[in-house]
């Protein structure tokens, strides 16, 4: 396969456009709980109070993730209003930026064909697309890491001095998104490369120390905010204790504390977690990734290659995640650009050797398995318009198998995109809209009219981040029954609560009218009993939105 494959030259823009379009519907879907809705609510608080320093979430001063993603969402709220779309849009734009930098990295380290294939792979990798729907920190973090990585490559190549500033700025934004551990991802590959190539003088090269120094200059807004919110207020209760330093948490507890499981936020990790998670998270390309890793271990003998910066960074980050005690599937997303580049290189090498057909066969099998999975899930759940969903899936499979392909690479990519199209049309047009019906907090919040945004609103007995976000104003979280009485005395007001609490209040003589009683289920913890339409009624429970009048009946 030559460096300017005619098929890629012709079809790359169209496949890329198709992949981006498959990601877009998630922008208009509602925000799903818990993390996405919590982060959206934190950004909402910034705008409502015009307070860009103090983060407030879950009813208290919030110390966990740094400020950068919340600042981006809050800026978007200022422009577009406080909506789910406005929350997701800046993350989507950063994801598009990560596509650009993935292309640049692959182009400079390999060639244009590898760069194009890498971008096509990354665009529809499963958990990357899910991250654009269920927005946390990953779209921001991935863009900042790839941006810093490419500019660092230009610094290494003695590029224009401005690359030093851009590398430091992107690295700083990554740190202000996730923490200082990001530096291990950015620097780990370079350290391995310098060691295996014996370029020890690079460790004292002033350009790298200048990048690091500027990076810490650029994170001063984060350090200032943490100092003002926590270090200047030792009386604040955080993690159940006082005298909590925001700066110490940022530099140690949030990163090393999680890794060694000694910090206030603990987990229970398993070293094999990300191995099996990658197999589904990187679909429809995970089999290709496994083959690519095997190929690199066997054939990539050029130890002097600058490509080892990417290989080393990928390995160090993966090991770091695997050894950590705090593990979640979406952590892997920051690895996807490098996974995509490695996989794309493998595809081009197999195509050059005319050995790509067996991967095409595997991709065809995965396509059929996906069809069976979607059909089975639709049969169990009895989702509305399920027949239409099956018809769409069948049409995609049929089309993907009757096209006359020019070469195996075209067939491999087209069938991968066909699988992605099936998945994302099913998820965003059918499955997630079905799930969001049972996100009761959001459903209840939408009943509150905008004209009542000045009235007190609270949640008691059942806390919902989506209720906080989608309510027209602020929501008070009541954790003690004594404070509930004080809140009711401030009527008229709205209260989101459980059926038991609602029944108790009405029986006690509180003049309350049920405005809504949406069905509730924790939709991010799916169980068969919920998915099975015949058993669903036994596992869902109602939540109530009460309108409490100002003259209670005694």
């Amino acid at each position: 396969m030559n460096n300017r494959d005619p098929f890629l030259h012709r079809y790359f823009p169209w496949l890329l456009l198709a992949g981006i379009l498959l990601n877009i519907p998630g922008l208009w879907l509602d925000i799903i709980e818990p993390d996405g809705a919590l982060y959206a609510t934190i950004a909402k608080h910034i705008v409502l109070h015009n307070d860009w320093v103090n983060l407030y979430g879950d009813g208290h001063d919030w110390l966990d993730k740094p400020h950068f993603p919340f600042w981006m969402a809050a800026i978007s709220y200022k422009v577009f209003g406080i909506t789910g779309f406005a929350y997701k849009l800046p993350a989507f734009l950063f994801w598009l930026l990560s596509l650009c930098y993935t292309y640049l990295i692959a182009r400079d380290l390999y060639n244009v064909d590898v760069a194009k294939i890498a971008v096509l792979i990354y665009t529809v990798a499963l958990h990357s697309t899910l991250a654009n729907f269920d927005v946390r920190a990953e779209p921001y973090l991935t863009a900042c890491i790839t941006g810093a990585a490419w500019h660092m490559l230009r610094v290494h190549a003695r590029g224009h001095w401005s690359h030093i500033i851009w590398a430091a700025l992107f690295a700083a934004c990554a740190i202000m998104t996730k923490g200082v551990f990001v530096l291990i991802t950015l620097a780990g590959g370079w350290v391995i490369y310098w060691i295996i190539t014996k370029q020890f003088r690079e460790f004292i090269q002033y350009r790298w120390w200048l990048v690091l120094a500027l990076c810490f200059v650029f994170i001063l807004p984060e350090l200032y905010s943490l100092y003002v919110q926590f270090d200047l207020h030792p009386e604040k209760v955080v993690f159940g204790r006082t005298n909590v330093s925001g700066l110490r948490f940022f530099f140690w507890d949030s990163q090393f504390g999680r890794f060694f499981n000694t910090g206030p936020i603990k987990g229970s990790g398993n070293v094999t977690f990300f191995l099996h998670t990658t197999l589904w998270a990187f679909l429809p390309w995970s089999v290709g990734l496994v083959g690519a890793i095997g190929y690199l271990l066997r054939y990539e003998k050029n130890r002097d290659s600058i490509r080892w910066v990417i290989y080393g960074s990928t390995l160090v980050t993966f090991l770091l995640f695997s050894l950590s005690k705090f593990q979640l599937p979406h952590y892997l997303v920051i690895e996807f650009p490098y996974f995509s580049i490695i996989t794309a290189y493998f595809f081009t090498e197999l195509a050059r050797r005319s050995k790509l057909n067996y991967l095409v066969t595997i991709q065809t099998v995965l396509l059929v398995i996906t069809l069976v999975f979607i059909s089975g899930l639709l049969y169990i759940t009895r989702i509305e318009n399920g027949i239409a969903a099956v018809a769409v899936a069948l049409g995609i499979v049929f089309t993907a198998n009757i096209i006359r392909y020019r070469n195996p690479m075209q067939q491999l990519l087209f069938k991968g995109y066909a699988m992605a199209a099936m998945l994302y049309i099913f998820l965003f047009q059918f499955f997630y809209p079905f799930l969001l019906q049972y996100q009761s907090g959001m459903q209840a919040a939408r009943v509150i009219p905008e004209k009542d945004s000045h009235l007190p609103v609270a949640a008691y007995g059942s806390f919902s981040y989506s209720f906080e976000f989608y309510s027209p104003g602020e929501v008070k979280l009541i954790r003690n029954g004594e404070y509930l009485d004080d809140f009711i005395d401030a009527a008229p007001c709205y209260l989101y609560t459980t059926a038991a609490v609602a029944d108790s209040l009405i029986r006690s003589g509180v003049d309350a009218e049920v405005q809504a009683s949406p069905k509730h289920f924790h939709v991010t913890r799916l169980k068969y009993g919920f998915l099975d339409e015949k058993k669903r009624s036994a596992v869902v429970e109602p939540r109530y939105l009460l309108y409490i009048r100002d003259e209670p009946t005694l």
Side-chain angles (χ1 to χ4, degrees), residues 156 187-203 303-306 308-309 312 316:
H156 173 77
W190 288 101
V191 170
I192 291 175
Y193 171 64
W194 293 334
I195 290 175
I196 64 177
T197 57
K198 299 181 181 180
Q199 298 183 56
F200 300 114
R201 291 181 62 85
E202 289 292 332
F203 287 102
R303 306 299 181 184
D304 295 330
S305 173
I306 188 65
W308 282 93
V309 172
V316 168

Side-chain angles (χ1 to χ4, degrees), residues 7 11 405-415:
F7 153 70
Y11 288 101
Y405 299 99
R406 297 184 178 183
N407 55 53
M409 181 65 78
Q410 181 185 8
Q411 192 172 6
L412 180 68
L413 292 175
F414 270 53
K415 289 190 174 181

Side-chain angles (χ1 to χ4, degrees), residues 29-45 57 62 64-65 69-70 73 77 82-88 91 130-140 328 330 436 439 442 464-470 522-524:
L29 287 177
D30 292 308
I31 302 171
I32 199 166
E33 293 182 308
D35 288 354
L38 170 61
Y39 297 168
T41 302
I42 293 171
K44 176 183 177 181
H45 185 272
W62 199 76
D64 188 359
K65 299 292 186 298
F70 307 115
Y77 291 164
I82 301 175
T83 64
F85 172 81
Y87 170 68
K88 296 179 182 184
L130 295 183
N132 288 333
F133 156 65
D134 185 13
V135 172
R136 296 180 176 91
E138 277 60 39
Y140 298 103
L328 292 169
H330 58 266
L436 289 168
Q439 192 162 274
M442 176 190 68
S464 167
Y465 299 132
S466 66
F467 180 72
E468 285 189 78
F469 178 73
Y470 284 101
H522 199 313
V523 295
T524 54

Side-chain angles (χ1 to χ4, degrees), residues 289-522:
L289 174 62
V290 173
I293 294 171
Y295 179 85
L296 291 180
L297 292 174
R298 184 174 180 182
Y299 294 107
E300 191 74 357
K301 303 299 184 182
N302 184 6
R303 306 299 181 184
D304 295 330
S305 173
I306 188 65
R307 296 172 185 174
W308 282 93
V309 172
I310 301 302
Y311 303 154
S313 176
T314 304
L315 176 62
V316 168
T317 305
F318 196 88
L319 288 177
L320 186 71
F321 287 163
S322 297
L323 295 175
S324 172
K325 294 299 182 182
F326 204 88
Q327 300 172 336
L328 292 169
H330 58 266
Y331 288 0
L332 272 177
V333 171
I334 67 169
E335 292 267 63
F336 280 14
Y338 294 167
F339 283 175
S340 300
I341 293 171
I342 293 169
T343 305
Y345 174 57
F346 176 57
F347 286 173
T348 59
E349 287 296 290
L350 288 185
R352 183 174 60 84
R353 301 180 183 191
S354 300
K355 294 183 178 180
L356 204 57
N357 286 322
Y358 78 95
L359 273 182
V360 172
T361 302
I362 293 174
Q363 202 76 319
T364 304
V365 172
L366 288 175
L367 192 64
V368 174
I369 291 174
T370 303
L371 173 63
V372 173
F373 171 77
I374 290 174
S375 301
L377 193 56
L378 287 168
Y379 176 78
I380 293 170
T381 56
R382 298 293 199 274
I383 293 176
E384 187 178 0
N385 298 320
I387 294 177
V390 172
V392 170
L394 280 170
I396 292 172
V397 172
F398 179 75
T399 302
N401 283 284
I402 65 169
I403 293 176
R404 298 183 65 179
Y405 299 99
R406 297 184 178 183
N407 55 53
M409 181 65 78
Q410 181 185 8
Q411 192 172 6
L412 180 68
L413 292 175
F414 270 53
K415 289 190 174 181
Y417 265 63
M419 179 177 169
M422 270 201 301
L423 275 174
Y424 303 146
I425 291 173
F426 166 68
L427 289 174
F428 296 146
Q429 302 299 326
F430 299 95
F431 191 64
Y432 281 128
F434 156 72
L435 292 184
L436 289 168
Q437 297 177 81
Y438 297 90
Q439 192 162 274
S440 61
M442 176 190 68
Q443 303 291 352
R446 287 192 164 137
V447 176
I448 302 174
E450 191 67 35
K451 65 180 179 63
D452 287 347
S453 61
H454 65 286
L455 295 181
V457 180
Y460 173 71
S462 180
F463 302 130
S464 167
Y465 299 132
S466 66
F467 180 72
E468 285 189 78
F469 178 73
Y470 284 101
S471 293
E474 274 201 284
V475 175
K476 182 178 182 180
L477 302 182
I478 302 175
R479 291 184 167 87
N480 190 311
E482 296 178 6
Y483 297 111
L484 178 61
D485 294 334
D486 294 337
F487 175 76
I488 293 175
D489 289 340
C493 55
Y494 286 92
L495 179 67
Y496 170 76
T497 188
T498 62
V501 172
D503 183 64
S504 175
L505 289 175
I506 293 173
R507 286 178 180 273
S508 68
V510 174
D511 188 6
E513 179 183 348
V514 177
Q515 298 291 298
S517 56
K519 295 178 181 178
H520 173 78
F521 188 81
H522 199 313

Side-chain angles (χ1 to χ4, degrees), residues 220-287:
L220 286 177
E222 176 67 31
L223 302 184
Y224 171 80
S225 298
L226 291 169
Y227 180 77
V228 169
Q229 184 172 4
F230 297 102
D231 293 73
L232 283 183
H233 296 280
E235 77 282 358
K236 287 185 176 180
V237 178
V238 184
F239 305 123
R241 55 191 176 89
T242 56
N243 293 299
V244 173
S245 168
L247 294 177
R248 173 186 165 83
F249 181 84
F250 178 72
F251 283 110
W252 182 263
D253 290 333
S254 70
Q255 305 291 294
F256 297 94
R258 287 190 179 188
F259 182 78
F260 295 111
N261 217 33
T262 59
I265 302 175
K266 293 180 169 60
S268 55
N270 185 302
V271 293
T272 66
F273 176 81
F274 287 107
L275 291 174
H276 55 76
T277 298
T278 302
L279 294 179
W280 65 263
F282 199 61
L283 286 171
W285 318 107
S286 49
V287 175

